[in-house]
Amino acid sequence: RGAAPANTVSASLSAQKGTTSHLRTQDAKVQVITEVAPPQRIVHVSEGWQKLCGFGIDETLGRSLDIIQGPLSHGPELDRLKWAIANEESTTVTLINYTRDGRLFSHE
């Protein structure tokens, strides 16, 4: 798990009306929508997100994004993202997460 991310997903995160946050790639094939308020449960995932991460919709809805986090997921970038969501501010960060089978991927 100490290797560099195998692929990069360029994405944007936005908070809408203070209730959900959206993570969507530029081609809109990979999308996850979570609640903004803790515990930030997942309320929607696209088929592309399911394919990228390896988790089915029945395994993700109602859970937090912790399911794709691992040892390299935590740090100042994640803290900055959480602050921006809580304060409804715009930010760009690069996060490292893990697929179901443990492969690293990063997204901005």
Side-chain angles (χ1 to χ4, degrees), residues 47-80:
E47 187 175 323
W49 190 89
Q50 294 173 64
K51 287 179 182 178
L52 172 69
C53 297
F55 290 96
I57 194 166
D58 57 326
E59 300 170 284
T60 56
L61 294 183
R63 295 189 62 188
S64 75
L65 289 174
D66 290 347
I67 63 172
I68 61 168
Q69 293 179 351
L72 298 177
S73 299
H74 305 282
E77 292 284 286
L78 183 59
D79 293 340
R80 195 169 88 200

Side-chain angles (χ1 to χ4, degrees), residues 23 26 28 48 54 57 63 75 83-84 87 94 108:
L23 175 68
Q26 291 173 343
I57 194 166
R63 295 189 62 188
W83 182 90
N87 292 283
T94 299
E108 180 181 85

Side-chain angles (χ1 to χ4, degrees), residues 13-23 31-45 60-66 69 78 81-88:
L13 178 78
S14 62
Q16 293 190 347
K17 298 181 184 174
T19 58
T20 60
S21 62
H22 299 242
L23 175 68
Q31 180 184 42
V32 61
I33 301 173
T34 66
E35 299 169 334
V36 171
Q40 298 175 311
R41 287 186 214 88
I42 298 169
V43 296
H44 168 80
V45 292
T60 56
L61 294 183
R63 295 189 62 188
S64 75
L65 289 174
D66 290 347
Q69 293 179 351
L78 183 59
L81 176 61
K82 288 179 179 180
W83 182 90
I85 291 170
N87 292 283
E88 297 186 27

Side-chain angles (χ1 to χ4, degrees), residues 1 7 51-55 67-69 97-105:
R1 290 193 173 194
N7 60 21
K51 287 179 182 178
L52 172 69
C53 297
F55 290 96
I67 63 172
I68 61 168
Q69 293 179 351
N97 286 308
Y98 298 83
T99 63
R100 179 187 196 117
D101 63 5
R103 289 180 292 124
L104 294 170
F105 71 95

